[in-house]
């Protein structure tokens, strides 16, 4: 795997952030969220604090290229777009290189489906004990997918 420090981003309320360096999962977190007027959005301050706490900052960010889903309501689509835009703005503000990968591309290359537990299991196999510490709960699937997005980009 690459010696470049890669931030994988699974955007959205249940998403996550993960830094992969030299084939190792260095750090990960669920997407920091704050509710404003009852609506979830990226907690920009928490994201910046998380980056500042990273011993290994990132050289490139790989964001999952997501889009609104069919039959998803207008309000849900707008909210999801706000989440994506918020994390994109934060990533771009770092000055790091930014890349995008579709869910279909990285999941196919990794032999995964839409099953979130399969992503957690694949990340645990790929990253070993570091993943065991970060992926203790089913709700950590966003962190697993962020790490796998970074690993996919490192391989390709």
């Amino acid at each position: 795997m690459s010696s470049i420090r890669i931030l994988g981003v699974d955007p959205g309320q249940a998403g996550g952030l993960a830094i992969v360096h030299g084939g190792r999962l260095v750090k990960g977190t669920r997407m920091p969220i704050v509710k404003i007027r009852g609506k979830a959005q990226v907690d920009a301050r928490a994201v910046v604090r998380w980056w500042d706490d990273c011993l290994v900052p990132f050289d490139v960010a790989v964001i999952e290229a997501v889009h609104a889903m069919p039959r998803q309501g207008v309000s849900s689509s707008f909210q999801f777009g706000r989440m994506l835009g918020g994390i994109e703005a934060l990533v771009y503000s770092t000055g790091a290189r930014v890349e995008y990968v579709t869910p279909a591309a990285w999941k196919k290359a990794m032999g995964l489906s839409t099953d979130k537990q399969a992503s957690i299991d694949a990340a645990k196999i790929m990253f070993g004990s570091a993943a065991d510490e970060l992926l203790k709960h089913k709700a950590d699937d966003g962190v697993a997918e962020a790490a796998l997005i970074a690993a996919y980009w490192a391989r390709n």
Side-chain angles (χ1 to χ4, degrees):
M1 288 215 179
S2 173
S3 64
I4 294 173
R5 296 163 302 219
I6 306 161
L7 171 69
V9 180
D10 178 9
Q13 191 169 339
L17 305 167
I19 295 179
V20 173
H21 180 225
R24 291 181 25 250
L25 177 57
V26 176
K27 191 166 184 164
T29 187
R30 292 181 193 168
M31 186 64 69
I33 300 297
V34 63
K35 297 258 183 170
I36 297 178
R37 292 183 298 278
K39 301 289 185 180
Q41 66 182 50
V42 174
D43 185 343
R45 288 183 180 150
V47 171
V48 171
R49 276 194 307 271
W50 183 78
W51 287 339
D52 286 347
D53 289 343
C54 291
L55 298 175
V56 180
F58 56 92
D59 300 305
V60 63
V62 185
I63 301 172
E64 189 175 48
V66 294
H67 53 80
M69 300 298 291
R71 295 180 298 281
Q72 188 176 24
V74 174
S75 181
S76 309
S77 294
F78 183 78
Q79 191 61 33
F80 188 64
R82 284 191 72 193
M83 295 288 296
L84 174 61
I87 198 66
E88 281 178 315
L90 288 166
V91 170
Y92 276 102
S93 74
T94 68
R97 177 177 164 191
V98 179
E99 299 283 338
Y100 292 87
V101 62
T102 64
W106 76 262
K107 286 184 180 194
K108 180 179 180 183
M110 299 293 222
L112 295 168
S113 66
T114 58
D115 179 21
K116 300 293 187 180
Q117 185 60 50
S119 293
I120 291 172
D121 295 342
K124 284 183 175 183
I125 291 167
M126 182 176 289
F127 298 111
S129 61
D132 289 340
E133 286 300 310
L134 291 171
L135 308 175
K136 293 181 179 180
H137 308 283
K138 188 167 181 124
D140 295 327
D141 63 290
V143 179
E145 293 204 343
L148 292 169
I149 288 166
Y152 162 83
W153 191 87
R155 289 181 177 179
N156 294 289

